[in-house]
Amino acid sequence: MNRKIIFIGIFTLVIIILTSVYLLFNKQSDIQNPLNNDASIKNNVDDSHATNQLNGLNIISAPINNALIRITKKPFGIKISPEQSPIAPERFAGYHTGVDFETYPDEQNQKVKIYAICDGPLVFKQFVSGYGGAAVQQCKIDNNDVTVIYGHLNLSSIADNLNQSIKAESPLGILGQGFSDETDNERKHLHLGIHKGNDIDIRGYVQTQSELEDWIDFATQFK
Ligand SMILES: [Zn+2]
């Protein structure tokens, strides 16, 4: 009789211990799992936030006020020749590697400000045949290296020195006076080209469509 009671007692004790261990183990798992889930959700949130921030840094801004509505004559990729062009007289031929932002009649004798479209250093600032004053800035768009060509500027209005970093939206200079040396005798307008990679290639036109693939259309990047 005593043995039977002791046996039942021990058996009950073992059951209680096993149940306790089982419950304790489950409780810990419950605690750990939500933590893990929270951690993974948190990581996901952080990742998407980081991606947004990266994209935010790569967004390009307008080089001139009312930018998009000024692209009326030479959009990206238009094929022109002296015989067929929205501009007369025309001295160039080929596929347009940038976009042209036109000026209004009342801006011909006003200072028209040009702004950097992205963050990055100024890597070129010279008088160039075909442009007059030209500047090139190194930037990243969607994490890819690009160089941005700003053509037909008043060269002496560009205050930044070479290798000096320029913030997006900050003033770069003013447009050159139309039909003068400042624009190499072109109408008063901004030519803006975005070339893939870090090489400085300031060509405003290329002769084949496959070469055109080395440039990016500002209008498709600007939101
Ligand atoms: Zn142009």
Side-chain angles (χ1 to χ4, degrees):
M1 188 66 183
N2 278 347
R3 272 189 188 175
K4 206 174 179 182
I5 290 170
I6 290 167
F7 178 75
I8 289 171
I10 290 170
F11 182 75
T12 309
L13 200 65
V14 167
I15 293 293
I16 289 169
I17 289 168
L18 284 176
T19 307
S20 301
V21 167
Y22 176 74
L23 286 175
L24 191 67
F25 177 78
N26 264 6
K27 204 175 177 186
Q28 279 180 341
S29 300
D30 284 349
I31 289 167
Q32 279 169 357
N33 283 339
L35 276 179
N36 285 340
N37 288 341
D38 279 356
S40 64
I41 289 166
K42 195 166 179 280
N43 282 341
N44 285 341
V45 168
D46 282 348
D47 285 350
S48 65
H49 186 60
T51 307
N52 285 340
Q53 278 187 329
L54 280 175
N55 285 342
L57 289 173
N58 289 322
I59 288 171
I60 58 176
S61 53
I64 189 168
N65 65 34
N66 303 316
L68 289 181
I69 58 172
R70 291 177 184 267
I71 307 171
T72 55
K73 290 179 177 169
K74 290 189 184 175
F76 177 82
I78 185 175
K79 191 185 184 190
I80 58 114
S81 65
E83 297 77 35
Q84 198 162 29
S85 171
I87 306 300
E90 180 64 76
R91 57 177 168 152
F92 301 110
Y95 297 92
H96 195 219
T97 59
V99 293
D100 282 357
F101 299 92
E102 305 302 323
T103 51
Y104 302 117
D106 64 354
E107 289 174 325
Q108 300 314 304
N109 293 310
Q110 289 177 6
K111 289 180 178 176
V112 177
K113 281 188 181 174
I114 301 303
Y115 305 90
I117 66 163
C118 46
D119 292 338
L122 186 71
V123 292
F124 181 96
K125 178 168 83 163
Q126 274 181 40
F127 180 86
V128 179
S129 176
Y131 285 123
V136 178
Q137 187 190 14
Q138 250 170 16
C139 293
K140 280 187 191 290
I141 295 177
D142 290 337
N143 287 331
N144 297 314
D145 290 330
V146 296
T147 51
V148 181
I149 301 105
Y150 305 83
H152 312 296
L153 302 183
N154 175 326
L155 197 60
S156 59
S157 73
I158 305 171
D160 292 291
N161 296 317
L162 285 186
N163 299 318
Q164 196 172 337
S165 194
I166 308 172
K167 285 276 174 204
E169 299 181 11
S170 59
L172 184 76
I174 61 169
L175 280 184
Q177 185 64 38
F179 307 103
S180 76
D181 287 349
E182 295 175 3
T183 57
D184 198 15
N185 292 312
E186 290 291 313
R187 70 199 186 285
K188 187 173 189 172
H189 73 285
L190 173 69
H191 171 95
L192 185 123
I194 305 173
H195 185 247
K196 296 175 184 174
N198 277 325
D199 293 343
I200 297 175
D201 187 337
I202 60 167
R203 284 180 295 168
Y205 298 89
V206 289
Q207 298 312 308
T208 65
Q209 254 177 324
S210 64
E211 284 178 287
L212 190 62
E213 288 170 13
D214 290 338
W215 274 268
I216 295 169
D217 181 3
F218 169 85
T220 64
Q221 299 296 315
F222 182 70
K223 309 261 169 13

